[in-house]
Amino acid sequence: MNLITKSIILSFFILFSGDLLAQETDSLNVLQKEDELVVDTLLQQDTLSLEKQLLLDEDLNDIFSEKMDSLVNTWYIENAFTLDSIDLTLIKNYPKNLPDSVYIERLQNIEQVIDLSYNNVVRNFIKLYTEKKRDLSEVIIGLSYYYFPIFEETLDKYDMPLELKYLAIIESALNPRARSRVGATGMWQFMFGTAKNMKLEITSFVDERRDPVKSTDAAARYLKRLYDIYGDWHLAIAAYNCGPGNVNRAIRRSGGKRNYWEIYYRLPRETRGYVPAFIAASYFMNYYGEHNLIANFPEASIDTDTIIVSDYLHFDQLAATLDMSKDELRSLNPMYRRDVIPAKPEKTYPLVLPEDKIMDFIDQDTLVFAYEREKYFPDNTLMKPTESSGYFTPVDIEGKAKVVYTVKSGDNVGFISSWFHVRASDLRYWNNIHRDLIRVGQKLVVYVPENQKTKYEKINSLTFAQKQETIGKSGSSSSTKKTESKPVDPNFIYYTVKKGDTLWDIAEKYAGISSTEIMKLNNLSNDRGLYIGQKLKIKRKS
């Protein structure tokens, strides 16, 4: 079986859709602004040496712990792995509170090109893998047996350190379908722009960021490019996570220092945990046996093979004719975004199936493609993609100008996106916005046509009414109109939404009130309908 076939087969090992870290500069700039205020104050204290700073024992485990917790909810883990099947003796008996000298000696004994420094931050990550998330770590170990040979062969092709394979653990925990909150996708967490720049195919139907072989090749080329810039693997790894712009700024603010640990507190918080997590992953994968961790392999057989398809094919057609689960098909074929293989005679694509289904497919070839064909491919054409699949595709910003908008009182994501004629989903993507929560004074990046940059820059100086008039609407928001047209009802309490509020948090403030009641009373479907400054009606309880 060739490497490509094997890599596609291994896509079946799906782990979790966690909140992973992005690679590009713009997405992290907004987050870094607030972080820098605290960091600059800390670094101005001359009494804090580098060593003392690192002994502050900064705990960054929350960034990586959350994505590991989401593992249990994935289809593949629920159906293929038994997380409690390992020997209970090993689970209960493993070394705890090892002295630092043990970790240091073991790290020094690992033969690697990349320096494996040790400090309290690294120790915290080692404990995350070896003590706090043991059952999930054992699944990662099992997956490494399959993915690491692919990584090593590709890294060797580009004469790169083979230990860079551990980056995929902290990027996605070896999950080819992983997707971060800002849109970074695949095992190597490529952002849309970087992936296109690295020549990965991304269309409405195919995303090669989720193809293990092609994404690994792109990651190796990108890492090599970053190393050529910095000549230091720690800096190259950091730049892979947060973008060269953030690393360059950290170097400049530190007076030109080019040692990762010397610019540590100048980097975004997410990136500060990135190199320590890489070092911890290197330790964990080399010494998991010493911590009584063993590989957890899937119980079900995963013998599969690959068929090359040269005509349109929908997963529903396969599921119906081959008696398969569509979830299983998605797990085997993660690069297809909308359950459709957009193959044509001039551009073929691979289809991975369980080995016991291969002959069924061959025997029923004509039947499979003909099954309800007019329904899935009317007039033998691809149907227009819809957003119902839940897979968001950000707009391409190549050739567009960047405008910075300052949030004003009364603004919300919907208003701002309409004024700039962009999708709300893109506005959220560009600025890492969660649950549509924005605050007054916040700087938002918006990408607009280059020839209309001046026009959109003027929006910053317009009043709310003037901005509404630019899109042919009244100068009052719907919430303002409701307040003006309806008198305050003494039977209700009116709550003003604040930054970070959720429906559950708000309900907790009022005895006998549930989040469901608030949703119904205010015509909300979920937390995404909330925005800062919004007035919510709360039923008074006697």
Side-chain angles (χ1 to χ4, degrees):
M1 189 178 293
N2 62 34
L3 178 60
I4 294 178
T5 299
K6 181 179 179 181
S7 69
I8 297 171
I9 292 170
L10 298 177
S11 299
F12 194 55
F13 291 91
I14 302 306
L15 290 185
F16 45 85
S17 302
D19 281 347
L20 308 176
L21 307 178
Q23 295 156 248
E24 302 217 335
T25 304
D26 287 341
S27 299
L28 288 168
N29 282 345
V30 176
L31 294 175
Q32 190 177 4
K33 297 292 184 184
E34 298 175 355
D35 204 24
E36 287 172 355
L37 296 176
V38 177
V39 169
D40 287 342
T41 302
L42 176 64
L43 293 178
Q44 288 169 4
Q45 300 176 20
D46 295 335
T47 57
L48 280 177
S49 66
L50 174 63
E51 291 76 14
K52 289 181 179 179
Q53 290 172 29
L54 294 176
L55 287 175
L56 290 176
D57 201 15
E58 183 177 33
D59 190 350
L60 303 174
N61 283 12
D62 58 307
I63 299 173
F64 298 88
S65 179
E66 184 177 347
K67 63 184 179 183
M68 296 184 76
D69 288 338
S70 66
L71 168 64
V72 181
N73 298 320
T74 63
W75 177 89
Y76 185 59
I77 295 303
E78 290 176 348
N79 288 271
F81 286 86
T82 303
L83 296 181
D84 60 356
S85 63
I86 305 303
D87 188 337
L88 291 177
T89 304
L90 292 177
I91 290 178
K92 294 180 180 179
N93 298 291
Y94 58 88
K96 304 180 183 70
N97 301 316
L98 293 174
D100 289 345
S101 58
V102 173
Y103 294 128
I104 293 171
E105 181 180 1
R106 289 176 178 175
L107 285 168
Q108 289 175 342
N109 288 335
I110 299 175
E111 294 184 0
Q112 290 197 178
V113 173
I114 302 173
D115 177 54
L116 299 179
S117 311
Y118 180 80
N119 51 50
N120 291 343
V121 184
V122 172
R123 182 187 60 201
N124 288 338
F125 278 115
I126 291 176
K127 288 190 173 184
L128 177 69
Y129 289 119
T130 60
E131 297 182 23
K132 297 178 181 179
K133 303 292 181 183
R134 290 177 59 82
D135 52 354
L136 305 187
S137 292
E138 289 174 334
V139 173
I140 293 175
I141 297 167
L143 294 168
S144 71
Y145 279 82
Y146 299 94
Y147 283 120
F148 279 5
I150 298 172
F151 300 164
E152 290 172 350
E153 184 172 334
T154 303
L155 291 166
D156 180 68
K157 170 184 172 182
Y158 292 103
D159 195 25
M160 304 271 279
L162 300 188
E163 54 265 33
L164 289 171
K165 63 190 177 186
Y166 301 128
L167 274 182
I169 291 178
I170 59 175
E171 282 289 351
S172 66
L174 309 185
N175 177 10
R177 294 176 65 93
R179 179 176 172 82
S180 80
R181 65 181 183 274
V182 293
T185 300
M187 191 173 287
W188 294 94
Q189 288 293 279
F190 276 108
M191 293 293 286
F192 183 87
T194 306
K196 296 289 281 187
N197 184 259
M198 301 310 295
K199 308 303 181 186
L200 289 177
E201 180 183 348
I202 305 176
T203 68
S204 295
F205 295 95
V206 175
D207 191 342
E208 288 187 341
R209 291 178 294 181
R210 307 197 303 189
D211 179 275
V213 169
K214 293 184 178 179
S215 65
T216 299
D217 188 88
R221 287 184 282 115
Y222 187 46
L223 283 163
K224 186 174 181 64
R225 180 184 300 180
L226 293 171
Y227 182 76
D228 289 342
I229 294 173
Y230 297 106
D232 179 277
W233 280 115
H234 280 178
L235 296 181
I237 290 171
Y240 185 91
N241 172 248
C242 68
N246 278 317
V247 173
N248 292 342
R249 279 190 286 276
I251 292 173
R252 185 166 62 249
R253 291 191 183 103
S254 64
K257 295 177 180 177
R258 298 179 68 86
N259 178 288
Y260 173 81
W261 298 108
E262 290 182 312
I263 68 171
Y264 178 83
Y265 279 104
R266 300 290 189 182
L267 293 165
R269 183 172 183 266
E270 291 87 345
T271 307
R272 294 207 296 271
Y274 200 72
V275 169
F278 168 78
I279 295 171
S282 301
Y283 171 92
F284 152 60
M285 291 305 300
N286 279 275
Y287 291 104
Y288 61 79
E290 281 75 359
H291 291 268
N292 287 348
L293 288 165
I294 62 176
N296 188 357
F297 297 103
E299 292 186 333
S301 171
I302 56 163
D303 292 331
T304 60
D305 208 338
T306 305
I307 289 178
I308 300 302
V309 177
S310 59
D311 200 357
Y312 300 151
L313 188 60
H314 198 287
F315 285 177
D316 283 343
Q317 293 175 293
L318 290 162
T321 55
L322 300 182
D323 189 26
M324 290 184 63
S325 156
K326 191 154 66 171
D327 280 330
E328 185 178 2
L329 285 164
R330 288 169 175 163
S331 295
L332 286 164
N333 301 274
M335 67 185 287
Y336 300 117
R337 304 171 64 157
R338 287 181 166 81
D339 298 340
V340 172
I341 303 176
K344 295 181 289 187
E346 62 272 22
K347 187 170 179 59
T348 60
Y349 286 97
L351 166 65
V352 180
L353 294 172
E355 197 170 71
D356 61 359
K357 297 293 182 180
I358 289 292
M359 292 310 298
D360 290 344
F361 179 87
I362 294 174
D363 292 341
Q364 302 179 59
D365 180 289
T366 303
L367 176 62
V368 173
F369 284 97
Y371 181 81
E372 295 191 0
R373 189 161 189 80
E374 191 62 23
K375 171 184 175 181
Y376 298 109
F377 307 108
D379 297 324
N380 202 36
T381 60
L382 286 173
M383 295 177 66
K384 182 180 179 181
T386 65
E387 293 300 327
S388 61
S389 64
Y391 199 109
F392 164 66
T393 305
V395 68
D396 193 347
I397 62 174
E398 185 176 353
K400 293 194 174 184
K402 181 171 74 174
V403 173
V404 178
Y405 175 77
T406 304
V407 177
K408 315 294 192 303
S409 178
D411 287 354
N412 62 45
V413 169
F415 285 142
I416 298 170
S417 61
S418 64
W419 298 332
F420 285 90
H421 298 93
V422 299
R423 295 186 302 178
S425 53
D426 286 318
L427 187 66
R428 297 186 198 102
Y429 175 84
W430 295 328
N431 296 280
N432 197 25
I433 296 172
H434 304 288
R435 300 196 302 272
D436 286 350
L437 295 180
I438 55 177
R439 67 180 186 280
V440 174
Q442 183 177 351
K443 305 291 185 182
L444 299 181
V445 171
V446 188
Y447 291 93
V448 301
E450 183 71 48
N451 60 359
Q452 298 183 53
K453 180 180 180 182
T454 303
K455 166 191 167 184
Y456 284 110
E457 284 178 332
K458 293 178 180 178
I459 290 178
N460 261 307
S461 60
L462 300 180
T463 64
F464 181 85
Q466 290 171 330
K467 285 181 282 195
Q468 285 292 84
E469 289 171 4
T470 64
I471 56 174
K473 293 188 177 181
S474 166
S476 298
S477 70
S478 58
S479 60
T480 302
K481 286 181 180 178
K482 290 179 182 177
T483 303
E484 291 173 349
S485 61
K486 294 183 179 180
V488 175
D489 190 329
N491 294 315
F492 296 94
I493 301 169
Y494 292 85
Y495 177 81
T496 302
V497 176
K498 301 178 180 61
K499 179 183 177 183
D501 277 347
T502 66
L503 290 169
W504 188 87
D505 293 331
I506 297 170
E508 283 288 291
K509 299 177 187 291
Y510 302 96
I513 296 294
S514 69
S515 58
T516 303
E517 289 180 88
I518 298 176
M519 289 167 59
K520 289 180 178 179
L521 193 57
N522 293 275
N523 297 317
L524 299 171
S525 57
N526 51 45
D527 286 340
R528 294 182 70 84
L530 296 179
Y531 57 88
I532 297 174
Q534 181 181 10
K535 299 289 186 182
L536 297 180
K537 290 173 67 175
I538 311 292
K539 181 70 174 177
R540 289 185 185 274
K541 297 288 184 179
S542 57

